[in-house]
Each structure stands twice: as C-alpha cells, then as structure tokens.
C-alpha cells in the first residue's frame, strides 16, 4: 500500500483542546444569555447541561464512525491487494517481496484497521455507509443548516452596525425597529438595518465567488479576538453586579421559553460537521474521547458563567448579547472603556465577516455535490460552476436578512431543524450503518478501540427521541 511520505502537521492534546473549544464557541454563545433570561436561569442551566451531554454522546458516535470508515477503506485496499497478488502469482510475475507484503497486510489483526489516521469527512462517510437517498438527505440537511448559518451572520452583523450607529437608548425590545434611528430624522432603524444588509453584501458578498480559504493566521486572529471578547464580557458583568448590584431578576423556571432555549443550545454545541478535520491532526488520538469530554465540560461551564453573569447583571438582555456592551448601555466611563465598549459592540462584525465567505463556499460546494457530478465539474459551463451556485448560496440568506432582524429566531430555527439533523440524526444514522457495515464486511470479533462508550442500542433510541422532542416542541411554538 503506498504511503504518503509528506510530514503531517500535528498538535499536542492541549493545543487540540483549544482548537475544539474555538470550533464550538461562536455566535451561538452570544444568544444564550437572552434565552436564559426568557426560560429561567435554573431551568436553562439544567437544560444546557443536558444538551452538552447529548452533544458529547453524538460526538463519540462520529468518532466511532470515522474509525469504521478508516477500517472500511483499509479493508477495501487489502482486498484489492489480495486480488492483485493472486493475479500476479497466477501469471508468475510476482516477487517474493510483493507476496510477503500482501500476506502481511492480509494477516494483520482486524482491530488495527480501526484508526483515525485518515481524515474522512461526513460526506465521504455517507458515500460509504448510506444509500443514494440517505446521502441526498444528508446534503439537504447540511445545506439547510449552512443557509441558516449565513442568514444568522448577515443579520447579526447588520444588526450590530445598526445599533452601534443609531441611538440605542431608543431600544426597549427586539421588535422596536420602527423608532427613528436618530433624533429628528425620517429614517427608522429598520431602514438603516436594511441599508447595512445591502452594504455588507456589496462588500463581503463578492468574496463568496472566489476560492477563499481559512489561513492559520486568520484562525489565530479570530480565536484571540473571541477569547478576549468573552473574557471582557464576563468581567464587566461581574463588575456591574459588584458596583451597582444585580439589576436583572430572571425567573427560575419559565417553560414558554423552552423552544428558544432548544435552538440556541443546539446551535451553541455544534461541531459535528467539522469534527473530522479538526481531530485528524491530534498527535495522541488514543485519548481523543477523554479530551473531547473535557472540552465539552469546559465549554458548558463557560456558557453557564457567561449567561448567569449576564442575566443578573443587566435588567434587559438583547438577543445578541454583545449589544448590552454597546456605548451608552453601560455605566462605565473613561476613554479606555469607550474603546472596550466599541470593541465588544463590533465583535460580531470582526469575527463573522471573515467566516461568511468560507461558509458560503462550503455551502456552494455541498450544493454542487447534491446536484452535479463533482468528479467532472469541468464539463459544466463556467456560468454554472462559478456564478450560479455562489449566487444560489448567498441570495436566500440575503432575503431572510432583509425580512427579519431577530437573531434569536434565526438561531432557534437553524438549531432546531438543521442543527438537530447535523447533531443528532446524522451521527445516529452513521454509527448504526457503520457498525452494520464493519460487522458484516470485516470481522464480528474485531474490536474498535474508538468505539463510543455509549455503545448500547438504547442510546441510539434515546438520542432519536430527544431529537423528535426538540423538533416537535419548536414546531408547535412556530405554528402558534
């Protein structure tokens, strides 16, 4: 079997911990304080812990599926070597060296096939384990989620710019964009918001038509900005409570806020679609499940700290938490603090703008995989390849952004429908079909070291019931 002799970049377990943390913690975290305030602080805390646990369970399903996919690929290579070896032996053209190599590969312990050595994306795994219908449904779910992602990005950025520029003291709730943006002007905030949507699309949208890729330095920059911003927000909230006493009085339990809490929580723990790429460079994959468990524990603790300090520090929580730190919304003075306020207020603009083209390119690639033959894209016209699909990727989110400015609603919808599929349904389907495939095609006694600790079939049914519960509850709320 040919080996790739190029050195692969590897990072230590602690660096991997940070990478996974940065992958998961993003826009969803900025909507959690608002849903905590609406659903009750104690109820939200317990629910968030439950979402973190179920998110980790399905992450272990993804890890097991990747190991099964590696085993399936390796097994197929062995079978092709076996056929080649038999043919060569029959023709009398094989050497002893070739025969010995093939025999050694065939006689390896089957448990050694189960590795995380090769990066196998979710789409590749659906090609291995799903039929054509299942594969198409996977891409549809992924595209729905990515469309929601782009709509959230457009809305969050435009809303942030609008609230920074306009007189934010006029804002008393999430639906008050019919008030003037400035005193004694005819422009209301909704008009200004839509102007910013158009400006954002004009400035950032064209990058969606290019081959824009994330760079290491861009990731380091945005990750650093994220850590600094969240740390400052927690610190300021604690300082506000110490200096001016807690202003917020959130309920302990409020079941009517459950649908919004479901969507935001699922969205906040989303990492499954990017997991294969992020875990592949781990240096010590033997302890990968332990590291991911620690990551989910730390992230859940971080979310609870961010949300609880927010709901008690402020009398009103915006659906995008950074707006609570916009200038004129805090009682902190001084030139340095004004800079901090503007930094926090504009934080979504800095981080989401760099990610928007990348998400748009990911979406158009998945749309191509759904509708075109990706193995021969060059036979399609330039207009189809380079213009039609990028346009299909960004136009629907733009329309959604023009129609609504409510980030919480978009997060709830994206998390509750696209997110449920990506975080619950697809991992369950993958691990179930992967187990069947590897059991029947490799060996029933071959142990998978990366098998999920939640290996009993009961867990599959529990996750499916939990997913149905989430979707039904949110759907009922939307139909009211």
């Amino acid at each position: 079997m040919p080996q790739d002799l190029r050195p692969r970049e590897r990072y230590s377990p602690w660096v991997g911990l940070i990478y996974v943390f940065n992958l998961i913690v993003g826009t969803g975290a900025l909507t959690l304080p608002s849903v905590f305030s609406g659903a009750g602080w104690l109820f939200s805390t317990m629910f968030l812990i439950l979402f973190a646990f179920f998110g980790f369970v399905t992450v272990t399903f993804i890890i097991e599926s990747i190991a099964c996919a590696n085993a399936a690929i390796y097994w197929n290579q062995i079978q092709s070597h076996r056929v080649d070896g038999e043919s060569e032996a029959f023709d009398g053209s094989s050497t002893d060296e070739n025969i010995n190599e093939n025999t050694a590969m065939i006689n390896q312990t089957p448990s050694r096939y189960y590795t995380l050595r090769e990066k196998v994306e979710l789409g590749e795994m659906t090609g291995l384990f799903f039929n054509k219908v299942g594969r198409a449904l996977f891409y549809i779910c992924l595209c729905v989620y990515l469309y929601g992602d782009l709509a959230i990005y457009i809305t969050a950025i435009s809303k942030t710019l609008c609230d920074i520029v306009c007189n934010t003291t006029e804002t008393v709730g999430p639906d008050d964009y019919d008030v003037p943006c400035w005193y004694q002007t005819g422009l209301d905030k909704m008009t200004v918001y839509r102007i910013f949507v158009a400006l954002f699309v004009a400035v950032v949208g064209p990058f969606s038509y290019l081959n824009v890729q994330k760079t290491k330095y861009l990731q380091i920059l945005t990750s650093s900005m994220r850590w600094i911003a969240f740390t400052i927000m927690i610190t300021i909230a604690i300082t506000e409570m110490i200096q001016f006493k807690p202003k917020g009085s959130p309920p302990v339990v409020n079941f009517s806020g459950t649908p919004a809490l479901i969507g935001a929580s699922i969205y906040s723990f989303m990492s499954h679609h990017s997991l294969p790429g992020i875990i592949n460079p781990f240096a010590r994959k033997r302890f990968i499940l332990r590291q991911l468990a620690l990551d989910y524990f730390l992230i859940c603790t971080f979310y609870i700290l961010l949300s609880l300090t927010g709901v008690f520090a402020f009398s009103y929580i915006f659906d995008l938490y950074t707006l609570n730190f916009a200038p004129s919304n805090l009682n902190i003075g001084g030139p340095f603090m004004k800079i901090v306020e503007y930094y926090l207020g504009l934080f979504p603009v800095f981080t989401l703008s760099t990610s928007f083209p990348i998400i748009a390119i990911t979406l158009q690639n998945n749309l191509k995989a759904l509708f075109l033959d990706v193995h021969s894209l060059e036979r399609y016209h330039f207009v189809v390849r380079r213009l039609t699909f990028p346009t299909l990727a960004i136009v629907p989110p733009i329309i959604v952004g023009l129609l609504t400015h409510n980030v919480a609603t978009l997060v709830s919808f994206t998390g509750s429908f696209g997110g449920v599929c990506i975080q619950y349904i697809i991992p369950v389907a993958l691990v179930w079909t992967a187990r069947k495939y590897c059991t029947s095609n490799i060996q029933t006694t071959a142990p998978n070291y990366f098998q999920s600790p939640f290996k009993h079939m009961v867990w599959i049914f529990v996750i499916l019931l939990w997913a149905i519960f989430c979707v039904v509850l949110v759907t009922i709320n939307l139909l009211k």
Side-chain angles (χ1 to χ4, degrees), residues 288-302:
I288 188 76
L289 294 181
R290 225 179 278 175
Q291 292 173 246
L292 290 172
L294 177 59
D295 243 321
Y296 266 75
F297 172 77
L298 292 175
I299 290 168
C300 184
T301 304
F302 173 78

Side-chain angles (χ1 to χ4, degrees), residues 67 86 112 132 142 187 195 233 269 282 329 349 393 401 446 451:
E86 289 175 352
R112 295 184 62 185
K132 289 183 178 180
L142 184 58
L187 286 176
I195 290 173
M233 283 188 282
F269 285 106
F282 271 65
N329 284 340
V349 179
Q451 186 177 43

